[in-house]
Amino acid sequence: MMKVWRVVIVGCHPTSMLGTKLILEEGGELEVAGMYSTWSECVSMVRDTGPDLVLSDYQMPEGTVEDVLPEMKQSSQSSHFIIMTEENDKEIFQPLIELGASGVLSKAATPNQLLQMISGIREGFLSIPLEWIEKGLRPVTSSRGLDAVMQLTQTEMFIMERIVQGITYDKIALEIEVSRRSIDNYLRKIYVKLEVSTRAQAIEKFALFSRQTKQIYA
């Protein structure tokens, strides 16, 4: 049996959030753990409880989700974020994906379309409305992250590859015949080049862009 996902809803309109809650919980695979009308409440909830999914309006009285999405994603790496936008806001798709969103959907979407997107995310897939593709959306990988990975030396690339594979720092040190302390020094340089501050962020960024980097070097 598939795990029941804990969901947080963030929006400006309580009535709309309640309707969404009923839609999500109808099938029994999703459980709404909270509904919030401010970013501050949502950020605290995500940090403290790490929900499986956050379904959020793009625009709130305090600002847009872009102001808080990086912080929420950093505090709960395993959480997924679906951002509900105005009908024709396909232009913000790529920026939101780069900030950590798992999906972007128009508020004009049907309940079934929302459930289909969530189902896809649960299976590890990203869905894009065909209407956005027909209107010219062409998602591309950000060159910023690719450039960062390309700055890594061959040794730094090897270290990150092994870390992604789950190899311990001590074993990596033995493999490249350096001290454990040297691995820490390498990691500090890697973090600077990747513009990250934690191991989890480094793994996420490296895994996302390393394949394109290898294709360029090949």
Side-chain angles (χ1 to χ4, degrees), residues 4 9 19 30 38 44 54 57 63 70 81 86 88 95 112 117 119 123 132 136 139 150 165 170 183-184 186 214:
V4 175
I9 303 175
L30 304 169
T38 68
S44 296
V54 178
D57 279 359
F81 297 83
E86 296 302 327
N88 295 315
N112 188 56
M117 176 170 282
S119 177
E123 296 294 337
W132 289 5
M150 289 182 66
Q165 294 167 8
D170 288 335
I183 297 298
D184 292 333
Y186 274 117
K214 290 179 180 178

Side-chain angles (χ1 to χ4, degrees), residues 143-156:
S143 61
R144 180 180 178 184
L146 182 59
D147 291 343
V149 173
M150 289 182 66
Q151 293 180 36
L152 300 182
T153 65
Q154 185 174 357
T155 300
E156 290 167 347

Side-chain angles (χ1 to χ4, degrees), residues 83-94 96 103-107 117 127-139:
I83 312 304
M84 306 299 293
T85 73
E86 296 302 327
E87 187 170 359
N88 295 315
D89 278 348
K90 66 181 186 297
E91 291 81 7
I92 62 176
F93 174 86
Q94 185 70 29
L96 289 175
V104 181
L105 191 64
S106 166
K107 289 183 179 180
M117 176 170 282
S127 300
I128 303 174
L130 288 177
E131 180 183 2
W132 289 5
I133 299 295
E134 293 167 356
K135 290 183 177 180
L137 176 64
R138 293 293 183 270

Side-chain angles (χ1 to χ4, degrees), residues 199-213:
R199 180 176 182 272
Q201 292 172 344
I203 290 174
E204 182 178 18
K205 198 164 192 176
F206 181 82
L208 181 61
F209 296 105
S210 61
R211 182 173 299 179
Q212 285 95 339
T213 305

Side-chain angles (χ1 to χ4, degrees), residues 70-77 149 160 164 190-191 194-209:
E71 179 182 354
M72 290 193 292
K73 186 64 178 177
Q74 181 176 348
S75 67
S76 181
Q77 294 282 333
V149 173
M160 281 307 304
V164 169
I190 290 171
Y191 288 2
L194 296 183
E195 299 180 352
V196 299
S197 57
T198 67
R199 180 176 182 272
Q201 292 172 344
I203 290 174
E204 182 178 18
K205 198 164 192 176
F206 181 82
L208 181 61
F209 296 105

